Amino acid sequence: MQRVKYLYMALMVLILLSGCGNSNEEEKKELVKPIKYGVVESFGGLTTRTFNGITQSGSETKLSFRTGGLITRLNVGVGQRIKKNQLLAQLDQTDVLLALQQAQADVTNTKIQMETASSSFERVKQLYQTNNASLSDYEKAKSTLSSAQSSYEISLKRLDLQRSQVSYTTITAPMSGIVSSVHVGTNEVVSPGHIILTMSNEDASDIEAQAGVPEKYISQIKQGSPTKIRIPTLSNEFDGVITEVGYTSSGGTYPVITSLANTTDELRPGMPVEVTFTFGNENQQKQLIVPVKAVSEDESGQFVYALSPINNEVYEVKKKAIEIGRLTSEGFIVRSGLALDQIVAVAGLRTLYDGMKVSLLTQE
């Protein structure tokens, strides 16, 4: 009995020691704190920034029906080359063709009524001129002819309208090109204005690049400025010129469209691109700028917390003394202590220390 008691006590001691070991091991694990960061940038002179984008057709056209109905014919597929005026899609025409036949019959009937009224009017007119018909008979015949003429003109307009309704049930190619995308299939019911397909000009010289430029740089983008455009999938670089600068943002960036020079037949809409823009004034001296929120001060002077990458996700904090100059709208001018594109912390500086492990918060 005494032996069992000792074994039980030894087992409990082992469990406690094991728990303490795990606790110490957990304490040794260093927490990685996410923080906001900024980047040391250049100020003055000429600088470049590269933003991602995508190629697109400069004359992309979205096609849709002007009326709704059931799609009975869809004669195209993605990538198909089409010619101008080629029939691309058609809706069920049963109802509109019946209405067209009725409109044609109405025109025939009203035309006969108008011709009959005209003959009657001419006969009454001659009788009236020879005093063989009364004024009331003459006015009645005249009124009947006028009414028949109005009915005929209205039926002609209805016929034109019905012909237009028939034409609204078909889509023909407004130009020669290539089908970029098809959004529906046969036997689908679509509403007026619903996009059926998108087509692009097949000429490679019509290809342009659209890139998203952050708010910070959009004011420096000017129409007509040169750019450099790289297409990684083709390993080609093209000269470009800015043709359009977006006025409203989409997802935090402004769309900027650049035309491409010296294009090749390998270019296609939808290819990823890297568009490089040039900013600044070549007559100004080039200097480094650090964000205002990154700079702190102690008894030794100004300093920042630089972030050095350990791996793709974790960075090590290092306190760096710096010398700053005047304050600009972009931040403090750096006289010494930092390098271009160096990453620095811009929030929670009081909680940071040398050697601390942090991660970077995603910038909005």
Side-chain angles (χ1 to χ4, degrees):
M1 186 69 180
Q2 192 73 14
R3 184 179 179 184
V4 173
K5 180 178 179 182
Y6 287 138
L7 286 174
Y8 176 76
M9 292 178 62
L11 180 62
M12 292 299 296
V13 170
L14 287 174
I15 292 174
L16 290 173
L17 289 175
S18 175
C20 292
N22 291 336
S23 176
N24 292 335
E25 185 177 344
E26 290 176 0
E27 289 177 0
K28 290 179 182 179
K29 290 182 180 178
E30 189 172 6
L31 295 176
V32 177
K33 178 182 178 181
I35 62 170
K36 292 183 179 180
Y37 69 95
V39 179
V40 178
E41 300 179 340
S42 61
F43 174 79
L46 293 177
T47 60
T48 60
R49 285 290 181 271
T50 300
F51 304 107
N52 295 326
I54 196 169
T55 58
Q56 62 184 26
S57 173
S59 57
E60 188 175 75
T61 304
K62 293 178 171 56
L63 302 178
S64 62
F65 291 106
R66 292 185 61 178
T67 187
L70 177 71
I71 298 176
T72 56
R73 295 179 65 183
L74 191 62
N75 301 331
V76 294
V78 175
Q80 179 178 335
R81 284 179 167 78
I82 54 179
K83 296 184 178 297
K84 185 177 181 180
N85 297 325
Q86 178 179 335
L87 178 63
L88 305 179
Q90 181 176 299
L91 296 177
D92 180 19
Q93 295 183 327
T94 303
D95 293 338
V96 291
L97 287 178
L98 285 174
L100 177 62
Q101 292 176 359
Q102 183 61 51
Q104 290 172 334
D106 290 343
V107 168
T108 301
N109 292 335
T110 55
K111 184 178 181 181
I112 292 173
Q113 292 175 5
M114 182 185 67
E115 291 173 347
T116 302
S118 178
S119 298
S120 177
F121 173 73
E122 291 297 330
R123 181 175 59 81
V124 173
K125 180 180 178 182
Q126 291 178 359
L127 292 174
Y128 175 72
Q129 289 175 344
T130 58
N131 295 321
N132 291 319
S134 64
L135 178 61
S136 62
D137 292 337
Y138 173 79
E139 292 294 340
K140 183 178 180 180
K142 184 178 179 181
S143 176
T144 301
L145 175 60
S146 178
S147 177
Q149 288 175 334
S150 296
S151 296
Y152 178 65
E153 291 173 357
I154 290 173
S155 66
L156 286 176
K157 291 180 180 178
R158 286 175 177 169
L159 179 59
D160 290 339
L161 178 61
Q162 202 55 48
R163 284 172 176 162
S164 297
Q165 291 296 322
V166 173
S167 69
Y168 294 162
T169 62
T170 60
I171 294 178
T172 56
M175 62 181 183
S176 297
I178 299 177
V179 178
S180 303
S181 57
V182 179
H183 307 282
V184 297
T186 54
N187 297 320
E188 285 190 35
V189 177
V190 295
S191 57
H194 182 84
I195 296 175
I196 304 301
L197 59 93
T198 304
M199 62 175 296
S200 306
N201 194 325
E202 62 179 330
D203 187 359
S205 63
D206 186 58
I207 298 293
E208 59 189 18
Q210 177 175 307
V213 177
E215 178 183 358
K216 180 177 180 179
Y217 300 101
I218 192 62
S219 62
Q220 303 178 57
I221 301 289
K222 306 297 179 184
Q223 190 173 353
S225 299
T227 61
K228 290 289 185 181
I229 301 164
R230 180 176 173 272
I231 302 180
T233 53
L234 300 180
S235 299
N236 288 349
E237 187 172 282
F238 303 89
D239 293 325
V241 176
I242 298 173
T243 56
E244 296 180 30
V245 180
Y247 185 73
T248 57
S249 66
S250 175
T253 61
Y254 291 80
V256 175
I257 296 177
T258 304
S259 63
L260 280 72
N262 305 319
T263 56
T264 65
D265 292 336
E266 297 173 314
L267 281 175
R268 296 286 188 276
M271 288 184 170
V273 297
E274 298 172 354
V275 184
T276 300
F277 299 88
T278 302
F279 304 105
N281 187 340
E282 60 183 353
N283 296 322
Q284 291 181 346
Q285 183 181 359
K286 197 170 185 178
Q287 296 174 309
L288 297 180
I289 291 290
V290 64
V292 174
K293 292 181 179 180
V295 180
S296 190
E297 186 175 5
D298 58 14
E299 63 277 3
S300 301
Q302 288 93 10
F303 67 91
V304 298
Y305 284 109
L307 308 178
S308 302
I310 298 175
N311 53 46
N312 292 335
E313 297 181 355
V314 180
Y315 290 73
E316 183 177 11
V317 176
K318 183 176 181 180
K319 183 178 179 181
K320 293 195 69 174
I322 64 169
E323 184 180 356
I324 60 173
R326 65 185 178 87
L327 177 64
T328 71
S329 59
E330 303 292 329
F332 286 112
I333 292 178
V334 179
R335 292 180 178 172
S336 64
L338 291 173
L340 182 65
D341 294 329
Q342 196 162 4
I343 301 174
V344 293
V346 295
L349 303 186
R350 293 184 179 180
T351 63
L352 302 180
Y353 54 86
D354 273 345
M356 182 178 179
K357 304 301 186 295
V358 298
S359 62
L360 305 183
L361 282 174
T362 302
Q363 305 281 48
E364 296 182 357

